Amino acid sequence: MNAIEITGLSKQFTGKHMIKIDALKGLNLNIAAGEIFGFLGPNGAGKSTTIKLVMGLLRPTSGAAQIMGLDVSRPESRYNVGYLPENPAFYDYLSAEEYITFVGTQFKMDSTLLEQRTEDVLIRLDLWDARKRPMRGYSKGMIQRVGLAQALVHDPEVYILDEPMSGLDPIGRALVKDIILDLKARGKSVFFSTHITDDVEKVCDRVGVIVKGTLVAVDRVESILRSGVEGYVIHLQATEAESLPFAGIEALRRTESVSEYYVPCSGFNAFMGEVNRTGTNVVLVEMKRRDLEDFFLSLVK
Amino acid sequence: MFSIIQTTLKGVFRDRVFQGIMALAVFFLFIPSAASLSMRQVTELSITLSLSLISILLFILALFLGATTIWKDIERRYTFSVLSLPLSRTTYLVGKFFGIALFMLLTALFLGTVSILVIKFSSVLYPPSRPILWSTIIVSIFFDALKYIIIVAVAMLLATVSTSFFLPIFGAISTFLAGTITQQVYEYLQSQSAQKAVSDVVRNAAKLFYYILPNLSGFDLKVHAIYSIPLNSSGLLLTIIYFFVYTGILLAIGSILFERREMK
């Protein structure tokens, strides 16, 4: 069973002067169990609309979505989900501890387990010291961490995170990445939206790119990265006098003891064969590739 | 639903606006001296002023809580996190309503206790000519609370479709004003003079509003409390049944509308 199944999901909003706006157009997407899926797209592309439709906050114009086999129009479908909204806000008159307990109660958690899990997530997200204070005094980063804590507390199978790194400092971002990788190791499914490609590259199995309400690409991150390899920069131990062309490729730069060559993928084997034949030492091989950001930008443009 | 009720109650008690409104209860302290200015019927005036002050406070609270609770949750984006939990919107709405209704009853209990102390104090200083029917005063306060709980339900119903708090606030005020006089209007329309003076269209429109708008006159027992008039138990029972049916209908309509609302 897929963690999330989205079939022909569309959403049309009616704007000012009754103008129809297609926020999402016929989205088909499956997230497998245990998969980390990054949902990339520029601002206003339809990422949050998709997530709100899956969470039952919006009603689809057409199409359907299921979480762990349950239609999202049923509140029970959300028992298996930990959801972090975009720029979350929580009852600010409650403390983090009270709010996490409230959330756990909605998931019908056993009180002893809830107490233990509340303590665990608050410690993990570095909110333990602030747990008794009303959230109206929290910083934006702390609220974001409360959002993650309330998504984690009931240990669901599926996580839907809308811009989870937003508003976090580098330490917080690293923490979120750690948490996602930990969830991955535990076989959980994570569907998260972002417009920061680096987040996706580091943690995701697959990535989908949405532009103007249409899913324009879905692929495995590793295959995008592999297909994006354009060539190599190879550093050879050779003095200026010894730095000859290999397989017809001239050195780009030369220092006293090291010469640097740019070798395209197609010429790599021939270049390395000649280097081996001459007995020249290889100091360093650097991969030159288009990264996920280039891939994303090529799709968006 | 219990945790929604509990959270709603916490929210109300910790709200500074509520604390400000409740600070108005300090006016109870002035009731005995104000009532003594009447020279006669000091106790009756104490009862009138106490019950009126309770009414005013409950009315302000009903407007403030009924109109702003859901609107605030949507405006401050709390609904994104709460409505994505595995609970239906009906549970959320009804839980919120019960939380506020419970709070209104607790407030009525508190204000009622204070007013009984105030009336007792006045009656000791200026013994009344008629015996005070304490049970009637208590029942009157209870029915007053029920009346304002209906106003809460009206405001919440309007809040389920409104994007601002204007419609819930002014809609609830209008409903309250109209609901207080619908019975008199209806009785007038049945009179002989009205048969001649009012056209059929107006009479039918007024009757339609009589059935749609809440009839709040049955909840007003102040005169019984002030002048120690015995209560009609079957009338009270009917009013309670009316309260449950009318509130139930409002919540049912509110739930249907709120289920369809888009959380953009």
Side-chain angles (χ1 to χ4, degrees), chain A residues 126-140:
Chain A
D126 199 19
L127 291 164
W128 185 248
D129 293 337
R131 70 188 187 282
K132 301 277 186 200
R133 274 168 34 205
M135 286 188 279
R136 66 167 63 99
Y138 284 14
S139 68
K140 192 181 175 197

Side-chain angles (χ1 to χ4, degrees), chain B residues 54 58 103-115 141-142 144-145:
Chain B
I54 290 175
L58 289 180
F103 169 78
M104 295 290 285
L105 290 172
L106 288 173
T107 307
L109 179 69
F110 167 71
L111 296 176
T113 309
V114 175
S115 64
I141 294 167
F142 174 66
D144 220 28

Side-chain angles (χ1 to χ4, degrees), chain A residues 98-301:
Chain A
E98 284 174 322
Y99 190 76
I100 303 292
T101 306
F102 163 72
V103 170
T105 313
Q106 296 306 318
F107 286 98
K108 297 187 167 49
M109 288 177 75
D110 168 73
S111 59
T112 317
L113 177 66
L114 175 56
E115 208 173 306
Q116 183 56 52
R117 291 280 309 156
T118 302
E119 187 179 327
D120 292 347
V121 292
L122 288 174
I123 291 172
R124 173 134 205 220
L125 286 148
D126 199 19
L127 291 164
W128 185 248
D129 293 337
R131 70 188 187 282
K132 301 277 186 200
R133 274 168 34 205
M135 286 188 279
R136 66 167 63 99
Y138 284 14
S139 68
K140 192 181 175 197
M142 288 168 85
I143 294 289
Q144 187 77 3
R145 279 184 274 141
V146 173
L148 284 159
Q150 57 90 39
L152 291 165
V153 68
H154 58 295
D155 195 27
E157 287 305 308
V158 182
Y159 292 83
I160 297 178
L161 314 174
D162 200 349
E163 307 274 4
M165 322 284 192
S166 166
L168 293 174
D169 59 16
I171 299 165
R173 295 167 80 89
L175 177 66
V176 174
K177 281 179 195 163
D178 270 358
I179 288 170
I180 294 177
L181 290 171
D182 178 50
L183 293 172
K184 182 179 179 173
R186 291 168 53 218
K188 308 286 185 181
S189 311
V190 181
F191 176 79
F192 81 93
S193 76
T194 182
H195 53 260
I196 301 166
T197 49
D198 188 53
D199 299 344
V200 176
E201 203 169 312
K202 297 235 167 52
V203 295
C204 289
D205 298 317
R206 269 200 313 154
V207 59
V209 179
I210 187 169
V211 181
K212 292 179 182 164
T214 305
L215 189 68
V216 292
V218 182
D219 205 347
R220 296 197 69 76
V221 171
E222 60 184 36
S223 85
I224 293 170
L225 296 178
R226 202 184 305 125
S227 68
V229 175
E230 292 170 331
Y232 304 88
V233 174
I234 299 172
H235 300 242
L236 300 178
Q237 196 168 45
T239 60
E240 276 192 53
E242 293 167 341
S243 62
L244 304 166
F246 292 94
I249 298 170
E250 293 274 357
L252 282 178
R253 266 193 296 271
R254 296 182 182 92
T255 61
E256 277 185 18
S257 57
V258 175
S259 296
E260 200 179 304
Y261 294 81
Y262 174 72
V263 183
C265 285
S266 55
F268 182 74
N269 286 341
F271 181 89
M272 288 307 291
E274 212 163 304
V275 168
N276 284 337
R277 203 156 33 77
T278 58
T280 310
N281 285 333
V282 178
V283 179
L284 180 68
V285 178
E286 279 182 288
M287 199 186 286
K288 293 301 280 184
R289 61 175 169 83
R290 292 164 70 218
D291 60 13
L292 203 56
E293 186 155 322
D294 297 322
F295 170 73
F296 170 63
L297 288 174
S298 68
L299 289 170
V300 173
K301 284 172 181 169

Side-chain angles (χ1 to χ4, degrees), chain A residues 11 59 86 91 93 106, chain B residues 3 14 73 77 262-263:
Chain A
K11 181 65 189 174
R59 294 154 60 86
E86 183 186 15
Y91 291 130
Y93 52 84
Q106 296 306 318
Chain B
S3 55
R14 294 177 188 178
D73 276 16
R77 304 164 57 85
E262 303 262 35
M263 295 297 152

